[in-house]
Amino acid sequence: MIPKVLVAASVRPLMLSILDHGESYGYAIIQRIHDLSDGKLQWTDGTLYPVLHRLEAEGLIVSSWRKSEVGRRRKYYALTPAGQQALETEKKYWLDVHAMLLALWGPSPQLAGA
Amino acid sequence: MNKPRAFNLNDALAAWRRPLEQHRAFLPGDVDELEEHLRDHIDRLQADGLDAQTAFREATARMGAIVDLEPEYEKVRWTKHRYRRSLWLELFAEQTMLKNYLTIALRTLRRHKGYTFINISGLALGLACCLLIGLYVWHERSYDQHHENADRIYRLLYTYGEGADAPKPPRAAFAAWGSAAPGPALAEDFPEVEHVVRFSGGHTMLLQRDNTPYQEEDYYFADSTVFQVFDFALLKGNPATALARPNTIVLTETAARKYFGDDDPMGETLRMDNDTELVVTGVMADLPSNTHFRIDMLLSIITFEQTAPDYMFQSWGYIDFFTYVLLREGQDAETVKAKLPAFITQRIGDQLDDETYFLDLEPLADAYLSPDRGILQVGPKGNPANLSLFAMAGLFILLIAGINFTNLSTARSMARAKEVGVRKVIGSARRMLVQQFLMESVVLALLAMVLALGLAALSIPLLGSLSGGVFTFALLLQPTAWALLFAMALVVGLLAGSYPALVLSAFNPVVVLKGAFTRSKQGVWLRKGLVGAQFVISALLLIGTLGVFYQLDFLRSQSLGFADEQQLVLDHGHDRTVVEQLDAALRTFGAHPAVQQAMATRSYPGSYRPNAGTSVEGEDGRLDEQAYHIFEVGAGFVPHLGLELVAGRAFDPLAFPTDSTQALMINEAAARLHGYANPADAVGKLFAQWGREGEVIGVLKDFNHESLHRAITPLSLRFAPFSTRFLVLQVDTQDLPQTLAQLETQWTELFPHLPFLYSFMDASFDAQYRAEERFGRLFSLFSGLALFVACLGLFGIATFTTQQRTKEIGVRKVLGASVPQLVGLLSKDIVRLLLMALVVAFSLAYFGLSRWLDQFAYRMAFPFVLFAIAGVSILAVALLTVSYQTLRAATADPVKSLRYE
């Protein structure tokens, strides 16, 4: 199981990335992360909503209440241009970290023995 | 047996929602969102084969408990829009608690009606006074601010210094009434100057349309630039050309209505002084009350220039103009000021003979409240010293009211120590208690505010008459007034409430509930200090008020050095017909049985008088030139006013025909100025003045020819009946109305073209003190109120302290103390406090009053008797206030008091 600190750090880029594929609502977003992680990321579902609300307050996403195809009221979230930008930045950070780790752990560790 | 109820998903969800909905961290939309999440999840679990109840449990477990969610939601709560709107409420208290505080506040206030009444009425009085004073001060400070260019307009000031390199004299030495020439020169030499406008006035003219002549005084000749510099709104006419041509006049709306009624005055003519036709080229809006200009009409200055001798407009020494300068945008007055000395040297350096000429610029905003600028101003002049005294009185009153409020609240709250204890035990946080007490005092203050508004509105008519019309309803209707009042009430409420709130909320519940607190000494010193401060302030105000009245009385009782009573002054405004028939007119009026003497003059004590450059031969035989006031008088001036001669003789044109061309009289001050300590030495010396040369024939004993504000200044008298403006009749004041009516009939027969304008010399001389009198009346009203409020507070405190000592009094009584002993015991503290307060007040009053008195040339010796009066009266009032309470306590049945607590 992935430790809590890492979960907390990754929620933001995860949500932005999911919304980058198109607008969605809370349950679906959470379910998607759940499916993707294959249960390795664990949290209490309710605490993810405040994260969405914060992203909204920051102007990275916008929300609107709408009736879904099955007739239930749902609050849909969609990425704003500012959100796109934020996602690009996040992407860069994570890829940098990823590259560093990969460099250290890869088939020919560049720093090994140095 | 009850069958277990079947699981209902909707009921379960509703039950799940409830605690969330009651928590402030979750907004309704948030809970909806979470519920939809649960429903989605449950649907899916049910699709996987779980039953509804299990699915619900599973989903809610995954959702997390309230304790886990709440902190997360709380973190982002402030970022949510809908919440921000009610943020201020949230900051003060939760809404429900707020309501609760309000309920308790109102309940407490209702239960203690006496306390509430004293507190609210005292504060309301204080607020009302402070509001009115604030509005008055604001009005006085708002003078001339309505001009769009107000911050770029400056008034040109000038003065002379003795010696070729005299240092710059103090600000107060500069006069605004100056010469015509510097203005245009400034406009020529200074690129920083956009426009210059000159005014000339202070005279009278006779103006008429058809038959009815009016004597006008508030008119000025002005440059055509006047409308570019000032925002005198022209309702009709072209501002660029209205005053460009000779013989043109612009009337205010009121003046236009006076002459033309509803007719259109544009292009019509008015006749000035029975000879010049003036064309009306504009109508301007009436000037607002808060401007230092008093203008009914403006005439083009060229009208004046074309008939005036050249020197009037070309000389830098001839004084009859007010000059205003508009600087270009972005230009700094300091830069211009720095260049003024060089400008003066270049322009008139070669004409200056052992003297230095100074010019200065004074911001328009200072024109009204600047120091005294000499006798002639364009309009009224404020008194900055009185204004700051007023402002101080206002603050003092508010301070007294605020102290009262704090004192009473603190005192009262001691009695509520138990309530605080109980609240704390039940679980009230300190913050909540602070909020509760603040709430109470703010509610009180706001109630007082409403009352204050009513009081202010009610007192405006009274104040209006006391103040000479400065206070009007219009003042009160401005939003500024409301904002000011609200701000004052809020600040007083919060400040006054904060001390009791902090002290009370800090009580240790265990100590308080044991009952130890009511006997504690905590806060006593502070309260005593505050009461003491109140009395210091009250005593200061009282002494100040009495001091003002004493000084005014002193002024009035001064011997003026001339007979000012029963002198009826008839004003013909330099009318040529009157001057030509002067002797006949004086004979006619003099023949009236009620008239004892009659004379003609241009100036009389307290009236307008010009300055004249006057040279008198010094002891070294050289002519010594000085500039001082001149009275141009007719025959009999000296005996008529009962002036005393100390040397030489008075004008007597019958015996000495040369008196009308070659004689001058001066006063002792002028003799001294020219270097004659002994007045007799000045007699027979040569003089030169305004084109006349001859001998000084007499020296008059100094008399108050200006005002008692100033020491007696040098004065010269010359015989010039053709320059006179007034006929002065000494009349028998018995049956005055009839005398006046008869004189008016005679006047109209002699001079049908002139209005009959009369005044009394003593009245006009006294009018110079009207401002002080008004000030004295207003000041006494406000200080009386302050004292009253302070006593209200004292009454409250006395009530409280005697209440606290109920048991002690009971015990003492049982042990045999008499009523006087008890009263003495209870009053002792207050008396000691008062005596200390009086010592402080006396020393402060001594300095304050001495400084105020210094503005008078004739000031009384410091009236130490005031200390006695103020001390005794304050002590008496305070003791009366306290003794009501103490007597009641001392005469009470000890059995009752011993049962107390």
Side-chain angles (χ1 to χ4, degrees), chain B residues 402-403 405-411 413-414 430 433-434 437-438 441 491-507 517 521-528 530:
Chain B
I403 287 177
F405 197 76
T406 312
N407 266 345
L408 286 173
S409 307
T410 321
S413 55
M414 297 296 167
R430 184 166 179 195
L433 285 169
V434 170
F437 285 111
L438 279 182
S441 68
V491 166
V492 171
L494 287 176
L495 276 184
S498 60
Y499 175 73
L502 291 176
V503 170
L504 275 175
S505 58
F507 287 165
F517 195 79
K521 285 272 182 215
Q522 197 180 347
V524 168
W525 274 109
L526 183 94
R527 274 208 308 287
K528 277 192 176 169
L530 290 178

Side-chain angles (χ1 to χ4, degrees), chain B residues 3-41:
Chain B
K3 244 174 77 179
R5 243 184 330 140
F7 177 78
N8 179 314
L9 182 61
N10 285 332
D11 289 351
L13 280 170
W16 172 86
R17 276 182 71 111
R18 217 163 292 132
L20 289 172
E21 281 167 346
Q22 281 171 9
H23 206 289
R24 67 173 187 188
F26 302 95
L27 300 175
D30 296 344
V31 186
D32 288 346
E33 190 178 31
L34 290 177
E35 186 188 334
E36 297 303 330
H37 177 104
L38 280 181
R39 284 183 187 276
D40 278 336
H41 200 180

Side-chain angles (χ1 to χ4, degrees), chain A residues 45-46 49 53 72 74 77, chain B residues 33 36-37 40 43 62:
Chain A
D45 289 356
Y49 284 96
H53 296 168
R72 192 170 281 159
R74 274 175 184 149
Y77 295 90
Chain B
E33 190 178 31
E36 297 303 330
H37 177 104
D40 278 336
D43 279 356
R62 276 286 304 279

Side-chain angles (χ1 to χ4, degrees), chain A residues 59-78:
Chain A
L60 303 183
I61 59 177
V62 284
S63 70
S64 58
W65 280 97
R66 250 178 291 152
K67 274 245 160 57
S68 73
E69 59 278 13
V70 293
R72 192 170 281 159
R73 256 160 47 88
R74 274 175 184 149
K75 198 177 181 185
Y76 281 90
Y77 295 90

Side-chain angles (χ1 to χ4, degrees), chain B residues 661-698:
Chain B
T661 49
Q662 297 167 23
L664 184 76
M665 293 183 73
I666 54 177
N667 68 354
E668 289 173 297
R672 274 195 301 277
L673 183 69
H674 289 294
Y676 296 103
N678 179 6
D681 297 343
V683 177
K685 294 290 181 292
L686 298 177
F687 83 91
Q689 179 195 57
W690 276 4
R692 278 191 195 176
E693 285 175 13
E695 279 180 16
V696 175
I697 58 160

Side-chain angles (χ1 to χ4, degrees), chain B residues 305-546:
Chain B
E305 195 170 3
Q306 65 185 3
T307 58
D310 287 350
Y311 71 87
M312 282 194 186
F313 278 81
Q314 285 158 18
S315 150
W316 285 55
Y318 181 80
I319 306 299
D320 199 15
F321 298 86
F322 302 95
T323 307
Y324 293 79
V325 176
L326 175 68
L327 295 187
R328 282 185 202 284
E329 216 142 347
Q331 292 298 337
D332 185 19
E334 294 307 318
T335 331
V336 178
K337 280 190 202 173
K339 290 197 272 185
L340 285 173
F343 162 74
I344 293 164
T345 314
Q346 193 226 322
R347 286 276 179 169
I348 54 162
D350 52 340
Q351 300 166 30
L352 291 172
D353 179 22
D354 199 35
E355 60 189 352
T356 317
Y357 190 90
F358 293 95
L359 285 174
D360 202 0
L361 295 176
E362 177 177 59
L364 180 66
D366 292 351
Y368 179 67
L369 283 180
S370 63
D372 194 6
R373 294 259 172 258
I375 51 157
L376 206 60
Q377 303 273 336
V378 190
K381 176 83 191 59
N383 184 329
N386 285 357
L387 196 62
S388 43
L389 273 183
F390 243 143
M392 217 146 72
L395 283 181
F396 276 171
I397 292 174
L398 192 63
L399 196 63
I400 288 188
I403 287 177
N404 254 354
F405 197 76
T406 312
N407 266 345
L408 286 173
S409 307
T410 321
R412 272 286 321 141
S413 55
M414 297 296 167
R416 288 173 66 182
K418 276 218 169 92
E419 179 192 332
V420 174
V422 172
R423 275 180 179 272
K424 275 203 166 177
V425 169
I426 292 175
S428 193
R430 184 166 179 195
R431 183 175 58 98
M432 294 175 170
L433 285 169
V434 170
Q435 282 169 359
Q436 183 197 330
F437 285 111
L438 279 182
M439 181 77 192
E440 279 192 33
S441 68
V442 168
V443 166
L444 262 181
L446 292 181
L447 284 176
M449 177 188 85
V450 175
L451 200 60
L453 206 58
L455 279 175
L458 281 178
S459 56
I460 274 199
L462 172 73
L463 285 174
S465 63
L466 278 182
S467 69
V470 178
F471 288 101
T472 55
F473 275 112
L475 271 183
L476 206 59
L477 292 179
Q478 308 167 97
T480 333
W482 295 69
L484 183 71
L485 188 63
F486 184 73
M488 284 192 306
L490 210 60
V491 166
V492 171
L494 287 176
L495 276 184
S498 60
Y499 175 73
L502 291 176
V503 170
L504 275 175
S505 58
F507 287 165
N508 180 344
V510 177
V511 178
V512 167
L513 289 178
K514 269 192 193 154
F517 195 79
T518 40
R519 273 178 294 280
S520 125
K521 285 272 182 215
Q522 197 180 347
V524 168
W525 274 109
L526 183 94
R527 274 208 308 287
K528 277 192 176 169
L530 290 178
V531 173
Q534 278 184 315
F535 277 95
V536 170
I537 296 171
S538 307
L540 271 179
L541 288 173
L542 194 63
I543 296 173
T545 313
L546 291 173

